[in-house]
Amino acid sequence: KAGVTQTPRYLIKTRGQQVTLSCSPISGHRSVSWYQQTPGQGLQFLFEYFSETQRNKGNFPGRFSGRQFSNSRSEMNVSTLELGDSALYLCASSLAGITDTQYFGPGTRLTVL
Amino acid sequence: QQPVQSPQAVILREGEDAVINCSSSKALYSVHWYRQKHGEAPVFLMILLKGGEQKGHEKISASFNEKKQQSSLYLTASQLSYSGTYFCGTEIRDNYGQNFVFGPGTRLSVLP
């Protein structure tokens, strides 16, 4: 069974731009969660999508948004990028949601200049 | 509302045991444990749910004290492959609904 895949793996953007990251879950998984990991703040939960609906949301500003498609693939968008958005963005898929076993993808390393 | 993990770092020799603790000021609905090696994604180890249900690997054990909002991960007879950063993830409820908050991590190094 293929694991969670994320594209692109690396990305460099400048302040003010927007970016879209993609996550393909394990086949059969309907939940996709997104996390931001930085050396200073550690791992932080962004939001969770289940069957195309945002079900849970962390404490991030509205510049961070996401969506999920009918095939469970998910995208995360960050608008008006700030230097502090530089981070490793991880997505995880699971059968039932954030209370179930989560399988993480390799992450997208975003650098904002 | 980030849980506290202790110790921050620990160094072991192969075969030694370790305990990693995670405590929260918030009521916990579940606790998850993950291990992350440098440059890799976190890997699931264990989930502990309210009511005592556990899901995880056979060689990993953990406890969850719901009243004290604490969890401990027990690593016995450590192997070199146990090295990495261990995170606890805590399920809480806040103004946004169901939220998931990770601890800062405990760095474990196992030496031969």
Side-chain angles (χ1 to χ4, degrees):
Chain A
K1 209 178 214 183
V4 178
T5 57
Q6 292 186 245
T7 56
R9 293 292 313 277
Y10 302 90
L11 206 48
I12 299 175
K13 292 284 188 179
T14 55
R15 275 186 302 174
Q17 287 187 309
Q18 76 166 20
V19 66
T20 299
L21 312 181
S22 180
C23 173
S24 293
I26 291 171
S27 178
H29 285 191
R30 294 163 65 188
S31 169
V32 174
S33 301
W34 287 90
Y35 300 87
Q36 181 195 65
Q37 187 172 32
T38 60
Q41 299 296 321
L43 264 169
Q44 294 183 278
F45 171 69
L46 281 155
F47 34 65
E48 183 223 354
Y49 283 85
F50 186 90
S51 294
E52 302 179 64
T53 301
Q54 186 181 88
R55 197 161 63 169
N56 295 290
K57 185 179 181 302
N59 303 336
F60 275 80
R63 299 186 297 108
F64 292 83
S65 63
R67 59 178 176 169
Q68 187 179 33
F69 302 95
S70 58
N71 61 358
S72 294
R73 188 178 70 86
S74 177
E75 287 183 346
M76 189 193 86
N77 184 75
V78 187
S79 62
T80 319
L81 283 167
E82 301 176 359
L83 295 179
D85 296 334
S86 292
L88 179 67
Y89 290 88
L90 293 158
C91 81
S93 78
S94 70
L95 285 169
I98 62 175
T99 58
D100 197 3
T101 305
Q102 297 196 63
Y103 298 87
F104 283 84
T108 294
R109 174 75 62 185
L110 172 66
T111 301
V112 182
L113 303 175
Chain B
Q1 58 188 7
Q2 184 184 44
V4 175
Q5 283 187 238
S6 62
Q8 288 183 319
V10 59
I11 299 175
L12 300 174
R13 293 281 181 187
E14 261 188 304
E16 292 182 338
D17 302 338
V19 179
I20 300 172
N21 302 299
C22 174
S23 64
S24 175
S25 60
K26 293 269 192 177
L28 301 179
Y29 290 78
S30 68
V31 178
H32 303 214
W33 287 95
Y34 290 85
R35 176 173 61 218
Q36 185 176 30
K37 294 183 180 285
H38 184 69
E40 299 180 9
V43 173
F44 165 78
L45 295 175
M46 174 78 70
I47 289 179
L48 303 108
L49 306 173
K50 281 185 85 168
E53 184 181 353
Q54 295 186 8
K55 294 188 260 186
H57 294 293
E58 292 178 2
K59 296 187 178 180
I60 301 284
S61 64
S63 64
F64 178 21
N65 187 323
E66 298 170 32
K67 288 184 180 177
K68 292 188 177 179
Q69 292 131 219
Q70 294 175 345
S71 177
S72 295
L73 184 71
Y74 304 98
L75 302 169
T76 56
S78 59
Q79 305 170 18
L80 295 176
S81 61
Y82 286 12
S83 292
T85 301
Y86 289 76
F87 294 96
C88 67
T90 56
E91 181 197 351
I92 63 172
R93 306 290 157 90
D94 60 15
N95 294 337
Y96 296 93
Q98 192 181 34
N99 201 346
F100 198 62
V101 187
F102 282 94
T106 293
R107 185 169 295 181
L108 177 73
S109 301
V110 181
L111 305 178

